[in-house]
């Protein structure tokens, strides 16, 4: 039996703290179970009353007779741990802790939450919450819930399962999806997630045969890797995970922290993790509803090319604008398609993509002409998805168009999404036909384009995961003997910052190309300069100096041995004067690298996600614009390429203003190797900067000109 | 009488090409007039039938008896010009040309459109269209229209007037606004705008006492200045203009052009024009509907500070994230507010901004406590607007909360916007109360934040326009004797590219600081170098060479006279070898400017908007990232400051990584002066680049180190 099957499909539900007061959770749960007709056992626990909502009251959990899998706990925070012990005694495996007053309420509450978790671990009882609205199994009408989870609208059964960190906002999402005709299987509000996490719920949904699409509202996860594992399982199982993440900005983070007290790491890292796991991140309620509607069609596109047909040139323009912004392409049609359109559409139609058959169409009286035109576009080999712009087409047109599209969708496997400004009241027949055929209808062209772009991205992530084993590739399995590597690099036991030479040895040990430097004594002789590839750069070497150039510790363009000796004298004197405390281990003479693009690579050890690699361009402007991409380590070269492509300044790598294109392949390989380094050394490495990583013209590779690693 | 009063308030409507066939425009107009009960005269023209839709048919327009202000023309393109002549003969001042087959259909159609326009000009008849769905006066039930303008839903009367370049997409917007409860006054679809333009319609709405908010869908305007004048009138009149612009991207432009054949200039220029005129640009249907709903409340905020209160921490987090992204601030409350919140809200509430009174509230039984809390927040002096997060609050809570807010809004002049995920079916009483009180209810926190940010920006534009006279300031009125300026700069009759020296004289004449250069002969003597501020830059001077440095025409860091003579010899030889055709007018010795931020300023003469100033940072990365802001010239220093603030890399000007902050005030003044130059010379200047314009540390001003003007 899968881990949480009894939690999601409970045979009986007890309510501890059952109440006769309608505003109390302990009443609302019982009323909801009764009104919705839950078929399992219901056990109110409250010695004061004989019965509540028609269910016989018990004096304690010990008196529960029959199967019972959930105890809903509607008691003040200090009493909850005791209930968990009673659950264990009675053999009730799960609790749902509704009330607040725990971690989110300050230090006293945090102590209670700690006690609660300790009790759970000791007894083996798993619990949802605290500080939540509970959970519902919509099919089974099992309500271990209160508040908006038990209020209208009554959710229709369907294949969407939901996990929400904010119940009230999350339910506004569920309600709007329900009003759009979407049916649900499970809704879990996870609250503070002291015990059961969003990741575990997602895992349970992956195991649940009735769940086809997963919807989540997230503020933060304690264990990023655990979340990624669940998301990757969902991706592999073909159950798309649609997610809204909040608490991403300075003001948003503050708001989220006073709310569920969930730790919110850097949003950049979440965004990277979502991309790596094929999570479909959306930024608003409507976008989430649109996305779920599109995914329930069960079709994924083979690429990002969209055929567009409709009766509104304005809608086509709106769609095309958005397509441009979100990476969809409107390809030119194959010649046969153009022919078919010419033969079947009215005069004055625009026959190119986007096709505009002008207002007033499609019409029944034109026979099969329109169906032929639509079919030609969806069947065009250049087209991966079909967008239909009904715009303000009237009731009869939508009715006829709906029938046409229902036939079309039955004979094509490509996704098809409709824009109509008409709602159910204005075009009931057509929208009902489209709904029955599983064709999503969205109310703006921009929303259609956004949903299609997300479908295409998700499909791409699925293909990539299938090809590389979760987007990690061989990287994760590469056996690295960390001890040997550190020993060979001469840094086995060292903690704190490493100097440039040691940092580069570490990089080099993982296959990251570094400049061919020579370590010189602090007072070099002419003989030390023999064979140096002048002109060279001279740099001070010290684990104590992070920003060498600020204090005269770097000199470029040294032309010969005598100049080097002079520079060395000056440099050591200046650095000593500036940093009396710094231990100087020598000087580094490095070859000059010209004509390369300056990039920088960073490794950070994120508290939630572990080692993460950041990549961006060098220079103050790139820094100010925060044009940086992130990936959770380890990852393969394909992920690294997508990391490079994500930069807004990506065009620089192809060469602009007459500069040569640079070696993106070598760069991707180096980034993947940095990710292996970060992952392999995760227990030792605090952070690492390779700055600059110089990217040379195509075919000439990359080279790290400086590096700084901090160990623990 | 205002220009289009008779068009918008017609006393009678003739339909030329009246038809008995329900699919034909000439039938749909008549049926709509009849079914909606238009009270004016209706005159079908078709000699073949005695009557259509209950109206008596006439043989020709000449037979129309009684007042008639509009002839709806539902005939093939070649026959329309003739109808215009008949209109003139009968004294009908306006035509609405429904059919297509004009400019959008190719060269033949363009010729017909030209003929039509010539006829209109000759006869004085003004016409809407061609290629449109006509127009409707909702109050008067005057339908000079067909297609979606005549189909359900029947629009409710109200204060919103609409002008649409795409009728079908535009009507999907109107329909969705109508379904959200918004009432309308006029809807005009302008089609190809061969004669009457969107700008003229906006002007007519400004003159219309019943119009309070203007809504528009735009693909492009032929005369950008005319549009801006109308938008500025609307701003000054306090009638906000909400606008969706399409055709902004490569793919979008292509789609728009095959549609209405409207010229679409660079979107950047439109965006600048919209900002300068306080136009509220939105990017989607829902955002437009939200915005109109918020504006109908008639309240504008004094600033960008928002107080947030509600029962959903998740909604608060979502709101706060979006607030961060769109420039809204959640200020700390004044101490009195904090006190009042503490006294009136339940335990476990979050009392900071955003306030979270937790799920299950507000409740009737808590008496006036909640009202006190809401009032404290909206009355807080730190708060300009109030956002209320009802999220998934239930029917009774929304009903009680609605009453509370209705009282609140009656005693405050600050805008108040509600997020509720409940629709009319789920919370009928509360939503009705809020609607009656004029409080907009939007269905996601993100949408609330976006609408509030746009309200704040629009309010700011109104204040700026009031302060500076349309945001142009004194700049537009500054009297410039262009002839004298050009004469003094020694370039009166010259056309084509000017050399650097002449370009700088031009800039200097308009008060733009330039480097103190000295013009030297091509073969300078030592005496020529007397008093030069070494080190200097030496540059070749030629009107024929735009990119001097590419061919050895620039040398930096010349330390003394002899070095200059050597450099001059080398430079002249190299440039002559590279560009045999170029006329060389001399050499320029310019002082070196260190420690300044490199920016660039461009002037282009846009076909639709005339002179436009572009501003960005120097360097290839800024170019690749297209971090450039635009303003239509002329503008004052306040606009120039907003132009600087718009750059994504704005933080660079404040100094980063230890660099000094630069002289933004001097930069703004210089940009405003460039705009006066651009405006004053609009008949002569093709384009101008000042690259780089060097911005020195605060107090040290700016200086143009190079300039290139092209005259005609």
């Amino acid at each position: 039996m899968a881990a949480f099957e009894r939690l999601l499909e409970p045979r009986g539900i007890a309510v501890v703290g059952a109440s006769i007061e309608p505003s109390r959770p302990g009443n609302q749960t019982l009323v909801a179970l009764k009104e919705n007709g839950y078929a399992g056992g219901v056990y109110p626990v409250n010695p004061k009353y004989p019965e509540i909502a028609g269910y016989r009251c018990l004096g304690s959990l010990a008196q529960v007779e029959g199967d019972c899998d959930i105890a809903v706990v509607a008691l003040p925070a200090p009493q909850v741990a005791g209930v968990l012990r009673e659950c264990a005694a009675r053999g009730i495996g799960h609790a749902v802790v509704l009330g607040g007053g725990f971690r989110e309420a300050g230090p006293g509450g945090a102590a209670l939450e700690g006690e609660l978790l300790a009790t759970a671990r000791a007894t083996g009882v798993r619990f949802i919450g605290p500080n939540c609205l509970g959970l519902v199994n919509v099919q089974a009408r099992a309500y271990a819930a209160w508040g908006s989870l038990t209020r209208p609208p009554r959710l229709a059964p369907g294949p969407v399962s939901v996990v929400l960190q904010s119940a009230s906002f999350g339910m506004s999402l569920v309600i709007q999806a329900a009003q759009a005709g979407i049916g649900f299987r499970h809704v879990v509000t996870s609250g503070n997630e002291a015990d059961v996490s969003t990741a575990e719920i997602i895992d349970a949904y992956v195991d649940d045969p009735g769940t086809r699409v997963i919807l989540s509202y997230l503020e933060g996860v304690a264990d990023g890797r655990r979340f990624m594992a669940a998301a990757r399982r969902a991706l592999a199982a073909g159950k798309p995970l649609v997610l809204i993440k909040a608490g991403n900005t300075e003001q948003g983070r503050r708001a989220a922290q006073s709310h569920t007290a969930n730790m919110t790491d850097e949003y950049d890292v979440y965004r990277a993790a979502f991309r790596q796991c094929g999570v479909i991140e959306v930024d608003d309620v409507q976008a989430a509803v649109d996305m779920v509607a599109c995914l329930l069609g069960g079709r994924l596109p083979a690429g990002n090319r969209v055929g567009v047909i409709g009766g509104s040139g304005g809608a086509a323009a709106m769609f095309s604008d958005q397509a441009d912004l979100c990476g969809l392409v409107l390809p030119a049609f194959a010649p046969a398609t153009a022919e078919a359109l010419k033969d079947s559409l009215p005069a004055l139609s625009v026959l190119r993509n986007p096709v505009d058959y002008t207002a007033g169409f499609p019409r029944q009286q034109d026979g099969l002409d329109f169906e032929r035109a639509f079919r030609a576009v969806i069947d065009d080999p250049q087209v991966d998805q079909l967008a239909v712009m009904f715009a303000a087409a009237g009731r009869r047109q939508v009715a006829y168009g709906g029938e046409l599209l229902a036939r079309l969708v039955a004979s094509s496997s490509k996704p098809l999404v409709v824009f109509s400004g008409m709602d159910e009241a204005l075009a009931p027949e057509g929208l009902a036909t489209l709904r029955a055929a599983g064709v999503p209808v969205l109310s703006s062209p921009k929303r259609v384009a956004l949903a299609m772009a997300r479908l295409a991205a998700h499909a791409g992530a699925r293909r990539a995961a299938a090809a590389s084993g979760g987007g990690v590739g061989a990287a994760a399995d590469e056996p690295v003997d960390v001890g040997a590597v550190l020993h060979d690099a001469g840094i086995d036991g060292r903690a704190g910052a490493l100097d440039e030479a040691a940092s580069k040895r570490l990089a080099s040990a993982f296959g990251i190309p570094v400049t061919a430097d020579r370590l010189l004594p602090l007072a070099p002789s002419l003989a030390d300069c023999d064979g140096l590839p002048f002109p060279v750069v001279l740099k001070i070497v010290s684990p104590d100096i992070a920003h060498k150039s600020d204090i005269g510790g770097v000199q470029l363009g040294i032309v010969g041995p005598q100049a080097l000796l002079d520079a060395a004298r000056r440099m050591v004197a200046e650095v000593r004067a500036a940093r009396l405390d710094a231990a100087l281990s020598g000087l580094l003479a490095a070859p000059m690298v010209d004509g390369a693009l300056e990039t920088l690579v960073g490794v950070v050890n994120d508290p939630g996600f572990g080692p993460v690699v950041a990549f961006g361009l060098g220079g103050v402007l790139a820094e100010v614009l925060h044009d940086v991409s992130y990936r959770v380590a380890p990852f393969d070269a394909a992920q690294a390429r997508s990391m490079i492509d994500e930069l807004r300044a990506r065009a620089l790598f192809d060469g602009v203003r007459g500069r040569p294109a640079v070696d993106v392949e070598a760069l991707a390989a180096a980034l993947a190797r940095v990710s292996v380094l970060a992952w392999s050394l995760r227990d030792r490495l605090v952070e690492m900067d390779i700055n600059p990583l110089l990217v040379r013209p195509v075919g000439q590779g990359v080279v790290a000109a400086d590096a700084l690693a901090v160990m623990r």
Side-chain angles (χ1 to χ4, degrees), chain A:
Chain A
M1 192 172 72
F4 291 102
E5 192 178 330
R6 285 290 175 232
L7 176 70
L8 295 179
E9 309 273 357
R11 293 164 299 179
I13 299 174
V15 180
V16 188
S19 166
I20 57 162
E21 166 58 54
S23 72
R24 307 296 294 266
N27 182 266
Q28 293 179 12
T29 304
L30 292 166
V31 170
L33 288 165
K34 175 59 75 180
E35 287 184 351
N36 288 282
Y38 172 58
V42 177
Y43 311 101
V45 177
N46 187 334
K48 285 197 282 186
Y49 303 101
E51 61 96 37
I52 299 176
Y55 298 108
R56 189 169 68 85
C57 271
L58 307 177
S60 74
L61 278 181
Q63 295 167 21
V64 169
E65 288 168 11
D67 294 328
C68 183
D69 294 309
I70 296 180
V72 175
V73 190
L75 291 174
Q79 302 176 35
V80 179
V83 177
L84 254 54
R85 280 187 287 270
E86 292 174 44
C87 285
R90 170 57 187 77
I92 299 172
H94 307 93
V96 174
V97 184
L98 300 181
F102 291 91
R103 190 171 79 225
E104 84 289 354
L112 287 174
E113 192 167 309
E115 183 200 339
L116 190 60
L117 183 58
T119 308
R121 293 280 180 271
T123 57
V125 175
R126 302 297 311 269
F127 69 94
I128 297 286
N131 187 24
C132 74
L133 295 190
L135 58 86
V136 177
N137 176 328
V138 177
Q139 261 104 346
R141 301 171 184 194
Y143 285 72
W146 71 291
S148 51
L149 253 75
T150 61
R151 287 196 297 257
R154 182 177 291 194
L155 301 179
V160 180
S161 288
V162 185
V163 53
L164 304 170
Q165 278 188 347
S166 164
S168 180
F169 171 71
M171 279 310 291
S172 79
L173 165 60
V174 168
I175 288 168
Q176 292 187 58
Q179 300 295 81
I182 290 168
F184 293 90
R185 190 159 165 86
H186 298 286
V187 180
V188 176
T189 70
S190 58
N192 289 7
E193 299 194 3
D195 178 17
V196 179
S197 68
T198 290
E200 288 176 285
I201 309 285
I202 291 171
D203 262 338
Y205 291 158
V206 173
D207 294 332
D208 170 35
T211 296
R212 280 177 47 217
V213 173
I214 304 169
L215 176 62
S216 179
Y217 167 82
L218 196 73
E219 291 180 0
V221 296
D223 184 345
R225 297 275 166 174
R226 178 71 187 80
F227 174 84
M228 288 178 76
R232 284 205 170 105
R233 275 193 78 218
L235 185 67
K239 300 190 179 189
L241 170 55
V242 178
L243 183 144
I244 296 183
K245 164 87 175 68
N248 306 332
T249 67
E250 190 55 36
Q251 295 190 118
R253 200 163 8 247
R254 271 203 306 270
Q257 276 172 1
S258 32
H259 173 218
T260 43
N262 278 309
M263 264 310 296
T264 305
D265 300 274
E266 279 302 312
Y267 174 55
D268 291 322
V269 178
Y270 279 95
R271 214 164 130 256
F274 296 155
R275 291 194 184 194
Q276 284 174 265
C277 303
V279 172
I280 305 175
E281 191 190 4
V282 292
D283 62 353
D284 203 3
V285 173
Q286 196 58 66
V289 175
D290 289 353
M291 208 59 236
V292 171
C294 289
L295 288 164
L296 287 175
R299 293 151 184 258
L300 290 178
N304 65 343
R305 301 164 308 168
V306 181
V308 182
I309 183 166
S312 163
M318 290 290 293
F319 181 92
S320 303
D321 273 341
Q322 190 59 44
D324 225 278
L325 296 175
C326 61
L328 293 175
V329 172
L330 278 69
F333 292 134
T337 309
E339 275 304 307
L341 291 171
K342 201 172 159 213
D343 291 348
S344 50
L345 290 181
L348 298 181
S349 295
V350 177
L351 304 174
R352 290 182 302 278
N353 194 12
V355 177
D356 178 4
Y357 48 67
T358 74
F361 297 95
R363 305 181 307 182
Q364 188 88 48
Q365 60 260 49
D366 297 311
L368 291 176
D369 282 348
F370 274 88
E371 193 162 341
R372 222 173 292 141
F374 279 74
R375 198 172 291 280
V377 175
I378 203 171
D379 287 345
D380 188 299
Q382 297 300 314
V383 165
D384 300 315
Q385 310 191 60
L386 179 67
V388 175
M389 302 290 120
F390 280 163
R395 179 170 180 167
R396 264 177 304 174
Q397 291 148 30
V398 177
Y400 171 65
E403 286 170 25
L404 183 167
L405 293 181
R407 289 193 294 273
L408 203 65
V409 86
S411 64
S412 169
S413 61
K414 298 179 183 174
L416 190 172
V417 185
V418 172
F419 156 50
S420 169
M422 311 292 275
D423 62 14
E424 306 270 348
L426 294 168
E429 304 83 0
L431 294 188
T433 307
L434 288 167
R435 182 188 302 264
V439 176
V441 181
L442 313 185
S443 66
S444 92
K446 178 181 172 182
R447 285 169 47 193
V448 172
L450 279 171
M452 285 185 147
R454 289 176 175 133
L455 273 188
H458 177 69
R462 265 183 80 166
R463 286 191 298 271
S468 75
V472 180
D477 307 322
E478 213 165 288
V480 175
D481 182 342
V482 172
V485 165
L486 294 178
H487 180 79
D488 291 351
I491 50 176
D492 358 32
R494 281 154 72 177
L498 301 182
D499 65 32
E500 176 177 346
S503 298
K504 279 176 165 172
R505 286 197 302 276
L506 192 58
S508 189
F510 282 88
I512 301 150
V514 301
T515 45
D517 303 343
R518 188 188 299 176
L519 190 58
L520 304 173
L522 286 166
S525 66
L526 280 177
D528 289 326
C529 300
D530 265 7
L532 278 177
F534 290 104
V536 296
V537 188
L538 189 68
K539 298 189 268 190
I540 200 79
V541 181
S542 165
D544 302 324
I545 299 175
H547 301 290
K548 295 183 271 280
S549 53
D550 294 356
I551 53 165
V554 177
Q555 187 167 340
L556 304 174
I558 293 173
V559 292
Q562 190 52 52
L564 189 144
L565 265 49
D566 295 346
R569 245 189 322 274
R570 229 177 14 248
M571 181 176 292
V572 170
E574 275 186 42
V575 168
R576 282 228 164 96
R579 292 288 302 275
L580 297 170
D581 60 315
L584 308 184
S585 23
L587 295 164
L588 216 53
M592 301 278 286
V593 180
D594 289 328
L597 189 63
E598 271 196 33
T599 68
L600 49 92
V601 183
V603 174
V604 288
N605 235 321
D606 183 88
F609 285 89
V612 171
V613 177
F615 172 67
L617 289 165
V620 65
L621 182 59
E623 182 183 321
V624 164
L625 294 173
H626 193 63
D627 190 15
V628 179
S629 61
Y630 296 78
R631 289 294 183 276
V632 179
F635 48 83
D636 61 13
Q639 273 292 349
R641 268 190 297 274
S642 80
M643 190 177 185
I644 299 164
D645 292 343
E646 213 172 290
L647 291 191
R648 296 196 299 271
R650 172 63 176 84
L652 273 187
F653 294 83
D654 295 331
V656 290
R657 281 213 204 149
R659 297 174 196 206
V662 300
D663 203 333
V664 169
E665 284 310 303
L667 174 60
L671 289 169
R673 278 182 228 123
V674 171
S675 84
V676 173
L677 177 156
W679 177 244
S680 306
L681 299 180
R682 63 191 176 280
D683 297 329
R684 293 288 316 279
L685 190 68
V686 178
E687 59 183 17
M688 182 166 188
D689 277 312
I690 299 177
N691 182 10
L693 178 68
L694 298 168
V695 191
R696 293 160 138 164
V698 172
Q700 298 179 36
V702 302
V703 63
D706 200 350
L708 170 63
V710 180
M711 312 298 289
R712 74 174 140 229

